[in-house]
Amino acid sequence: MINPRLVRENPELLRKAWLRRGLEAPVDRLVELDESRRSLISVVEAAKAAKNAASAEVGKLKREGKDASDAIAAIKSRGDEQVEAESKLAATEKELEDILMGLPNLPHDSVPDGRSSEDNVVARNWGEIKEAPAWAKDHLQVGEALKLFDFKRGAKISGAGFPVYTGWGARLERALVAWFLDEHREAGFLEVQPPLMVNRASMTGTGNLPKFADQLYTCQEDDLYLIPTAEVPVTNLHADEILDPKEMPIKYCAYTPCFRREAGSYGKDTKGFLRLHQFDKVEMVWFSAPEASYDAHEVLTAQAENLVKKLGLPYRTLLLCSGDMGFGAAKCYDIEVWAPVEKKWLEVSSCSNFEDFQARRAGIRTRGADGKPVLAHTLNGSGLATPRILVALLETYQQEDGSFKVPEVLRPYLGGVEFLRA
RNA sequence: GGAGAGGUGGCAGAGUGGUCGAUUGCGGUAGACUCGAAAUCUAUUGUAGGGAAACCUACCGGGGGUUCGAAUCCCUCCCUCUCCGCCA
């Protein structure tokens, strides 16, 4: 949630910021609600103060052993003005909050204007893009020949979008996850293994609820949700806490499967690995002092880029434009690897600075230089999601004889094997 | 799942209907003493909202209720602990 004070202090700034995202937000309504909220608060609180004073008087009389029935009767005979104002106030606050909770974060000044992915800016390029040889197969054919996965049986036991990894495929998946985690640990991230199901408050804290309920798998009976990313449980690790500035920044990495309904995206990337209901991802989550978050964002992004680099996959880093950023992000870099046969850029990481957007929802604070509590900034980035990495690896490192050359960094995780063969 | 006991400020721990936002201890901060430190002493030390301010309001796990008045009584949910049952 954005800072609600801005509604009062600078509604035009809000209007413009949301317009950059292509959103015509009901700013006038917000201003109206904020004003009526404040005037109702005055009414309600004045009534409460009067009542408190009268009750204190009753207490005093009773303690003195005097008769208080007149005083009590006087309080009782008061009108229900307060009750009425209270219910109006509650309704106003609810509408205000409902609107604010559904509105996205404001783009940072360094974010380019734009309406869609077409307007994203390439921040950097790395690696040389080579044309695939004529004999090259696409990743599905390579994987099938090596028996790395079994989509059919995945569909049988669960449905489309639930892959089964088999044999070397399963090991390769495990190797990627283990290597990612080791890299992050060595870079100072604390590895955590969080729950895969979280409660409503956690989902609300990161911004997945209420707006994106239709993208989540739910366990209705227990009011739990399957996580769409480790960002949710790990960010909420520090919900309702005041983090000691001496401990900052706090950096975590976590491997989890991710569960996404992908409602509304039927027909898009349905084949193979490009869009799945369940996939593995290692996520980095970073809690920062407010003034340090943009530096942290660069470091976090570089940490993710480093993995792709070490795998030898050409990539590009996009600075997302205002219209293409996710709901909670103030600034976001996407890292895309090149799939030479598919001839496509594939997004394998998204590194975002949420500023205090999530922190406000989740109650994550630290202390400023004056020792007073301030909202922390949260950041996160994939480091990395495996399926599309697998696509790029298979297409890039396939050999003419049908084998797969294992990138060097992964070999220690695969018993030192250099080539995977059927 | 059954029975019981609990959830109070950074921590520990009082408080069972009337100046309780809350005794006290520890911790934190500032000061005194000291060459300095320790010890000791003194003061101070929650969060959020409203208000130009004075100040007011709210918060004792969450929500609801009783009452002129609730940390304290009632209902409900959540969580923790102990015992029993079940079980990877």
Short mmCIF file of all heavy atoms in Angstrom, two decimals, chain B residues 8 13 15-16 18 23 28 30 34 38 48 51 64 68:
data_model
loop_
_atom_site.label_atom_id
_atom_site.label_comp_id
_atom_site.label_asym_id
_atom_site.label_seq_id
_atom_site.Cartn_x
_atom_site.Cartn_y
_atom_site.Cartn_z
P U B 8 2.25 -12.33 26.87
OP1 U B 8 3.14 -11.87 25.80
OP2 U B 8 2.77 -13.11 28.02
"O5'" U B 8 1.45 -11.10 27.45
"C5'" U B 8 0.84 -10.17 26.55
"C4'" U B 8 0.56 -8.88 27.25
"O4'" U B 8 -0.13 -9.17 28.50
"C3'" U B 8 1.79 -8.09 27.69
"O3'" U B 8 2.31 -7.31 26.63
"C2'" U B 8 1.21 -7.23 28.80
"O2'" U B 8 0.46 -6.17 28.26
"C1'" U B 8 0.25 -8.21 29.48
N1 U B 8 0.86 -8.91 30.62
C2 U B 8 1.01 -8.20 31.80
O2 U B 8 0.67 -7.04 31.91
N3 U B 8 1.56 -8.90 32.83
C4 U B 8 1.99 -10.21 32.82
O4 U B 8 2.46 -10.70 33.84
C5 U B 8 1.82 -10.89 31.56
C6 U B 8 1.28 -10.22 30.53
P G B 13 8.37 -15.09 33.07
OP1 G B 13 8.51 -16.37 33.80
OP2 G B 13 7.60 -15.03 31.82
"O5'" G B 13 7.77 -14.00 34.06
"C5'" G B 13 8.14 -13.99 35.45
"C4'" G B 13 7.57 -12.76 36.11
"O4'" G B 13 7.94 -11.58 35.35
"C3'" G B 13 6.05 -12.70 36.18
"O3'" G B 13 5.56 -13.43 37.29
"C2'" G B 13 5.79 -11.20 36.30
"O2'" G B 13 6.01 -10.75 37.63
"C1'" G B 13 6.89 -10.63 35.40
N9 G B 13 6.40 -10.39 34.04
C8 G B 13 6.52 -11.21 32.95
N7 G B 13 6.00 -10.73 31.85
C5 G B 13 5.49 -9.50 32.25
C6 G B 13 4.80 -8.50 31.50
O6 G B 13 4.50 -8.51 30.32
N1 G B 13 4.46 -7.41 32.30
C2 G B 13 4.74 -7.30 33.63
N2 G B 13 4.32 -6.19 34.22
N3 G B 13 5.38 -8.22 34.34
C4 G B 13 5.73 -9.28 33.60
P G B 15 -0.84 -11.13 40.47
OP1 G B 15 -1.23 -11.67 41.79
OP2 G B 15 -0.70 -12.03 39.32
"O5'" G B 15 -1.84 -9.97 40.07
"C5'" G B 15 -2.05 -8.89 40.98
"C4'" G B 15 -2.47 -7.66 40.23
"O4'" G B 15 -1.50 -7.36 39.19
"C3'" G B 15 -3.78 -7.77 39.45
"O3'" G B 15 -4.90 -7.60 40.29
"C2'" G B 15 -3.64 -6.61 38.46
"O2'" G B 15 -3.92 -5.38 39.07
"C1'" G B 15 -2.15 -6.71 38.10
N9 G B 15 -1.97 -7.49 36.88
C8 G B 15 -1.69 -8.82 36.78
N7 G B 15 -1.62 -9.23 35.54
C5 G B 15 -1.87 -8.09 34.80
C6 G B 15 -1.93 -7.91 33.38
O6 G B 15 -1.76 -8.75 32.49
N1 G B 15 -2.21 -6.60 33.05
C2 G B 15 -2.41 -5.59 33.94
N2 G B 15 -2.68 -4.39 33.43
N3 G B 15 -2.36 -5.73 35.26
C4 G B 15 -2.08 -7.01 35.60
P U B 16 -6.01 -8.76 40.43
OP1 U B 16 -5.71 -9.57 41.61
OP2 U B 16 -6.13 -9.39 39.11
"O5'" U B 16 -7.30 -7.92 40.78
"C5'" U B 16 -8.06 -7.25 39.78
"C4'" U B 16 -9.28 -8.05 39.35
"O4'" U B 16 -8.85 -9.13 38.52
"C3'" U B 16 -10.01 -8.75 40.51
"O3'" U B 16 -10.90 -7.86 41.17
"C2'" U B 16 -10.66 -9.98 39.82
"O2'" U B 16 -11.97 -9.74 39.36
"C1'" U B 16 -9.75 -10.21 38.63
N1 U B 16 -9.00 -11.49 38.72
C2 U B 16 -9.37 -12.50 37.84
O2 U B 16 -10.26 -12.37 37.03
N3 U B 16 -8.65 -13.66 37.97
C4 U B 16 -7.64 -13.92 38.87
O4 U B 16 -7.09 -15.02 38.87
C5 U B 16 -7.32 -12.83 39.74
C6 U B 16 -7.99 -11.67 39.65
P G B 18 -11.98 -1.93 39.96
OP1 G B 18 -10.57 -2.05 40.35
OP2 G B 18 -13.03 -1.96 40.99
"O5'" G B 18 -12.17 -0.58 39.11
"C5'" G B 18 -11.21 -0.18 38.15
"C4'" G B 18 -11.37 1.32 37.96
"O4'" G B 18 -12.76 1.57 37.71
"C3'" G B 18 -10.98 2.09 39.23
"O3'" G B 18 -9.80 2.86 39.01
"C2'" G B 18 -12.17 2.98 39.56
"O2'" G B 18 -11.85 4.36 39.31
"C1'" G B 18 -13.23 2.63 38.53
N9 G B 18 -14.52 2.23 39.06
C8 G B 18 -14.84 1.47 40.14
N7 G B 18 -16.12 1.27 40.27
C5 G B 18 -16.68 1.98 39.20
C6 G B 18 -18.01 2.15 38.79
O6 G B 18 -19.03 1.70 39.32
N1 G B 18 -18.12 2.94 37.67
C2 G B 18 -17.06 3.48 37.01
N2 G B 18 -17.35 4.20 35.95
N3 G B 18 -15.80 3.32 37.34
C4 G B 18 -15.69 2.57 38.45
P U B 23 3.55 0.97 35.34
OP1 U B 23 3.78 2.42 35.20
OP2 U B 23 4.17 0.02 34.39
"O5'" U B 23 3.93 0.55 36.82
"C5'" U B 23 3.23 1.12 37.92
"C4'" U B 23 3.53 0.37 39.18
"O4'" U B 23 2.85 -0.92 39.15
"C3'" U B 23 4.99 -0.01 39.38
"O3'" U B 23 5.76 1.07 39.88
"C2'" U B 23 4.88 -1.16 40.37
"O2'" U B 23 4.58 -0.69 41.66
"C1'" U B 23 3.66 -1.89 39.82
N1 U B 23 4.04 -2.92 38.83
C2 U B 23 4.63 -4.07 39.32
O2 U B 23 4.83 -4.26 40.50
N3 U B 23 4.99 -4.99 38.36
C4 U B 23 4.81 -4.88 37.00
O4 U B 23 5.17 -5.79 36.28
C5 U B 23 4.19 -3.66 36.57
C6 U B 23 3.83 -2.75 37.48
P G B 28 22.03 -2.17 28.38
OP1 G B 28 23.26 -2.42 27.61
OP2 G B 28 22.11 -1.63 29.76
"O5'" G B 28 21.08 -1.22 27.52
"C5'" G B 28 20.86 -1.48 26.15
"C4'" G B 28 19.99 -0.41 25.55
"O4'" G B 28 18.69 -0.42 26.20
"C3'" G B 28 20.48 1.02 25.76
"O3'" G B 28 21.47 1.37 24.81
"C2'" G B 28 19.20 1.83 25.61
"O2'" G B 28 18.86 1.98 24.25
"C1'" G B 28 18.18 0.90 26.28
N9 G B 28 17.97 1.24 27.69
C8 G B 28 18.32 0.50 28.79
N7 G B 28 17.98 1.07 29.92
C5 G B 28 17.37 2.25 29.55
C6 G B 28 16.80 3.27 30.34
O6 G B 28 16.71 3.35 31.57
N1 G B 28 16.29 4.31 29.55
C2 G B 28 16.33 4.33 28.18
N2 G B 28 15.79 5.40 27.60
N3 G B 28 16.84 3.38 27.42
C4 G B 28 17.35 2.37 28.18
P A B 30 23.70 7.88 25.42
OP1 A B 30 24.48 8.51 24.33
OP2 A B 30 24.27 6.77 26.21
"O5'" A B 30 23.22 9.02 26.43
"C5'" A B 30 22.66 10.23 25.93
"C4'" A B 30 22.17 11.08 27.06
"O4'" A B 30 21.11 10.37 27.77
"C3'" A B 30 23.19 11.38 28.16
"O3'" A B 30 24.07 12.42 27.82
"C2'" A B 30 22.28 11.75 29.33
"O2'" A B 30 21.74 13.05 29.18
"C1'" A B 30 21.16 10.72 29.14
N9 A B 30 21.40 9.50 29.93
C8 A B 30 21.90 8.30 29.50
N7 A B 30 22.00 7.40 30.46
C5 A B 30 21.55 8.07 31.58
C6 A B 30 21.41 7.67 32.93
N6 A B 30 21.72 6.46 33.38
N1 A B 30 20.93 8.58 33.81
C2 A B 30 20.61 9.80 33.36
N3 A B 30 20.69 10.28 32.12
C4 A B 30 21.18 9.36 31.27
P U B 34 34.82 12.60 40.83
OP1 U B 34 35.75 12.96 41.92
OP2 U B 34 34.44 13.62 39.82
"O5'" U B 34 35.40 11.34 40.06
"C5'" U B 34 35.89 10.22 40.79
"C4'" U B 34 36.37 9.16 39.84
"O4'" U B 34 35.25 8.62 39.10
"C3'" U B 34 37.31 9.66 38.73
"O3'" U B 34 38.63 9.79 39.18
"C2'" U B 34 37.14 8.57 37.67
"O2'" U B 34 37.91 7.43 37.98
"C1'" U B 34 35.66 8.22 37.81
N1 U B 34 34.83 8.93 36.82
C2 U B 34 34.65 8.31 35.59
O2 U B 34 35.16 7.25 35.30
N3 U B 34 33.88 9.01 34.69
C4 U B 34 33.26 10.23 34.89
O4 U B 34 32.59 10.73 33.99
C5 U B 34 33.49 10.80 36.20
C6 U B 34 34.25 10.15 37.08
P A B 38 30.95 1.10 32.04
OP1 A B 38 29.99 0.48 31.09
OP2 A B 38 30.66 2.43 32.61
"O5'" A B 38 31.21 0.09 33.23
"C5'" A B 38 31.36 -1.31 32.98
"C4'" A B 38 31.72 -2.02 34.25
"O4'" A B 38 32.92 -1.41 34.81
"C3'" A B 38 30.70 -1.89 35.38
"O3'" A B 38 29.66 -2.84 35.25
"C2'" A B 38 31.55 -2.13 36.61
"O2'" A B 38 31.82 -3.50 36.81
"C1'" A B 38 32.85 -1.43 36.21
N9 A B 38 32.89 -0.04 36.69
C8 A B 38 32.69 1.11 35.96
N7 A B 38 32.79 2.22 36.68
C5 A B 38 33.07 1.77 37.95
C6 A B 38 33.29 2.44 39.17
N6 A B 38 33.25 3.76 39.29
N1 A B 38 33.53 1.69 40.26
C2 A B 38 33.56 0.35 40.14
N3 A B 38 33.37 -0.39 39.04
C4 A B 38 33.13 0.38 37.98
P A B 48 4.77 4.42 15.42
OP1 A B 48 5.42 4.18 14.12
OP2 A B 48 5.16 5.58 16.25
"O5'" A B 48 3.19 4.52 15.20
"C5'" A B 48 2.56 3.64 14.29
"C4'" A B 48 1.07 3.74 14.42
"O4'" A B 48 0.69 3.52 15.80
"C3'" A B 48 0.45 5.09 14.10
"O3'" A B 48 0.32 5.32 12.72
"C2'" A B 48 -0.91 4.95 14.78
"O2'" A B 48 -1.76 4.11 14.03
"C1'" A B 48 -0.51 4.22 16.06
N9 A B 48 -0.28 5.17 17.17
C8 A B 48 0.91 5.62 17.68
N7 A B 48 0.76 6.47 18.68
C5 A B 48 -0.62 6.57 18.83
C6 A B 48 -1.43 7.31 19.71
N6 A B 48 -0.95 8.12 20.66
N1 A B 48 -2.76 7.19 19.58
C2 A B 48 -3.25 6.38 18.64
N3 A B 48 -2.59 5.64 17.74
C4 A B 48 -1.26 5.78 17.90
P G B 51 -6.02 15.88 11.28
OP1 G B 51 -6.85 16.53 10.25
OP2 G B 51 -4.68 15.35 10.92
"O5'" G B 51 -5.84 16.86 12.51
"C5'" G B 51 -6.95 17.60 12.98
"C4'" G B 51 -6.54 18.41 14.19
"O4'" G B 51 -6.15 17.51 15.26
"C3'" G B 51 -5.32 19.29 14.00
"O3'" G B 51 -5.63 20.50 13.33
"C2'" G B 51 -4.90 19.53 15.45
"O2'" G B 51 -5.73 20.47 16.09
"C1'" G B 51 -5.14 18.13 16.04
N9 G B 51 -3.91 17.34 15.96
C8 G B 51 -3.52 16.48 14.96
N7 G B 51 -2.34 15.96 15.17
C5 G B 51 -1.93 16.51 16.38
C6 G B 51 -0.74 16.33 17.12
O6 G B 51 0.24 15.62 16.83
N1 G B 51 -0.73 17.08 18.28
C2 G B 51 -1.75 17.90 18.69
N2 G B 51 -1.56 18.54 19.84
N3 G B 51 -2.87 18.08 18.02
C4 G B 51 -2.90 17.36 16.88
P G B 64 -14.62 -6.01 16.58
OP1 G B 64 -15.25 -5.05 15.64
OP2 G B 64 -13.68 -5.52 17.62
"O5'" G B 64 -15.75 -6.85 17.32
"C5'" G B 64 -16.97 -7.14 16.65
"C4'" G B 64 -17.79 -8.12 17.44
"O4'" G B 64 -16.93 -9.16 17.97
"C3'" G B 64 -18.50 -7.59 18.67
"O3'" G B 64 -19.65 -6.83 18.39
"C2'" G B 64 -18.83 -8.90 19.39
"O2'" G B 64 -19.89 -9.58 18.76
"C1'" G B 64 -17.52 -9.67 19.16
N9 G B 64 -16.61 -9.44 20.30
C8 G B 64 -15.46 -8.70 20.33
N7 G B 64 -14.89 -8.68 21.51
C5 G B 64 -15.73 -9.45 22.31
C6 G B 64 -15.65 -9.79 23.68
O6 G B 64 -14.80 -9.47 24.51
N1 G B 64 -16.73 -10.58 24.09
C2 G B 64 -17.75 -11.00 23.28
N2 G B 64 -18.68 -11.76 23.83
N3 G B 64 -17.83 -10.69 21.98
C4 G B 64 -16.80 -9.93 21.58
P C B 68 -25.14 0.68 31.84
OP1 C B 68 -26.08 1.21 32.85
OP2 C B 68 -25.61 0.27 30.50
"O5'" C B 68 -23.96 1.73 31.64
"C5'" C B 68 -24.19 2.92 30.89
"C4'" C B 68 -23.05 3.89 31.11
"O4'" C B 68 -23.12 4.37 32.48
"C3'" C B 68 -21.66 3.28 31.02
"O3'" C B 68 -21.22 3.22 29.69
"C2'" C B 68 -20.83 4.25 31.85
"O2'" C B 68 -20.57 5.44 31.15
"C1'" C B 68 -21.81 4.56 32.99
N1 C B 68 -21.61 3.65 34.14
C2 C B 68 -20.49 3.83 34.96
O2 C B 68 -19.69 4.73 34.69
N3 C B 68 -20.30 3.02 36.02
C4 C B 68 -21.18 2.05 36.28
N4 C B 68 -20.96 1.28 37.34
C5 C B 68 -22.34 1.84 35.47
C6 C B 68 -22.52 2.65 34.42
#
